[in-house]
């Protein structure tokens, strides 16, 4: 068997290994960024819901206060 040919295959395997390692690294970074984005989106939605609930409570409180003033 030709030794040069075996050495060439080793280089190919090394390049494939580096390629796969870079792909895995890219996927890990991408998944992490997606996870962070989803967490921020959920946090933003919860804040909007809480703000809306607070506005409804304030509006209801104002209506109740207004009704009490009218009754007096």
């Amino acid at each position: 068997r030709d030794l040069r040919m075996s050495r060439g295959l080793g280089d190919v395997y090394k390049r494939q290994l580096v390629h796969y390692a870079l792909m895995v690294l890219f996927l890990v970074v991408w998944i992490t960024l997606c996870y962070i984005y989803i967490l921020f989106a959920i946090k933003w939605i919860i804040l909007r819901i809480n703000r809306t609930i607070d506005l409804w409570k304030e509006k209801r409180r104002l209506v109740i206060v207004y009704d009490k003033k009218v009754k007096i």
Side-chain angles (χ1 to χ4, degrees), residues 37-50:
Y37 176 79
I38 290 169
L39 287 180
F40 276 111
I42 290 171
K43 183 178 178 182
W44 183 83
I45 290 169
I46 290 171
L47 288 174
R48 295 290 291 181
I49 291 170
N50 287 337

Side-chain angles (χ1 to χ4, degrees), residues 4 15 28 46-47 54 59-60:
R4 288 176 294 162
R15 282 195 301 267
V28 168
I46 290 171
L47 288 174
D54 289 343
K59 184 178 178 182
R60 184 167 179 245

Side-chain angles (χ1 to χ4, degrees), residues 1 5 9 13-14 16 19-20 29-33 41 47 49-50 56 58 62 66 70-71:
R1 187 163 195 196
M5 186 179 210
L9 286 175
Y13 293 142
K14 287 178 188 175
Q16 286 179 347
H19 177 72
Y20 291 140
V29 169
W30 187 77
I31 290 170
T32 304
L33 290 176
L47 288 174
I49 291 170
N50 287 337
W56 286 344
E58 182 65 22
L62 290 175
Y66 178 75
V70 169
K71 289 179 182 177

Side-chain angles (χ1 to χ4, degrees), residues 3 9 23 26 36 54 57 62 66:
L3 290 177
L9 286 175
M23 281 180 22
F26 173 78
I36 292 170
D54 289 343
K57 286 180 181 178
L62 290 175
Y66 178 75

